[in-house]
Amino acid sequence: MRTCYYKEDFLYPESRVHFHVFKYDFPDLHDHDYWEFFIIGSGESAHIREDKTQSLVEGDACLVHPWDKHKFVSGSDKYSQINFMITDEYFRELLNVISPDLYDRIVQTKYPITYKLNSNMLQEFYQNVHLLQTIDENDIENFVNLNKCIWFDIIKIVYRNNIHANHDYPDWLNDFLYLIRQPENISKSIAELCSFTFFSYSHLTRLFKQYTGETLNDYLVTLRLNYSAMLLRTTDTSILSISSAIGYDSLSHFMQMFKKRFEMTPKEYRKAYFCKPTSLKEKNNSKKAPPPAH
């Protein structure tokens, strides 16, 4: 096994960041003294760690710890991969801008963290790579600054996926929790959400209760009502549309469930807590803070 060192791999080691675009395998088991975020640009690959093999396809991305031992074996002639690299010290600095404990939370993950990028995100990374490739070789400042912007995009992805992650949960459960929070999925039934796992309805609901301590149905109700409350506070979307967006076909049932949780109707809640732009609202110093989530 080999170790890759940033002082050898980075074009400007003093910049503490670098990138590569590969179109071939990296079949040797290796680790690094830096963090790596790689994206499958096209084709597919077997990402092989010491005790786990993962099949990755276009749009899959992975954050690799410096100590992770891994290798790649592509399964396509049209394979391509983009790698962004950053020193451990610099990665910690950037993460601290977001949260002082985010670095420690990411370090605690046992395996490299995998993400799904949509076509727009993938295209933006390609555009940034193209910009990096057109920077003058002596213009280190812009090279570093653009790489820093890219790493903030990566950190945004990492944070968005990590915010609800629980390191005591298995990977499949954290992935599932992330997927059911997406706007396009938040109104789906449990039967539909089962398709995000390899489990049957009964097996999924049983495992969910085992790991989280609450039923999947209760979790979804809380998630949807909290989401509806945020929409009432931050948008002018109609109450009927909000009800539909979170999967309640019956407006009266939504209002009943909402009042049970927040002790006021959606209309009363919006009147009390809706944040209008300053130019459109009267000053009201006595306005209450939003009630805490239960």
Side-chain angles (χ1 to χ4, degrees), residues 236-254:
D236 60 357
T237 305
S238 71
I239 294 173
L240 178 61
S241 295
I242 291 174
S243 173
S244 178
I246 64 171
Y248 285 92
D249 295 328
S250 168
L251 179 60
S252 61
H253 182 51
F254 165 64

Side-chain angles (χ1 to χ4, degrees), residues 185-208:
N185 298 327
I186 205 165
S187 65
K188 290 182 177 178
S189 67
I190 295 178
E192 292 173 306
L193 296 176
C194 284
S195 65
F196 296 138
T197 74
F198 296 105
F199 305 124
S200 66
Y201 181 102
S202 59
H203 195 187
L204 173 62
T205 53
R206 185 168 62 253
L207 286 175
F208 193 93

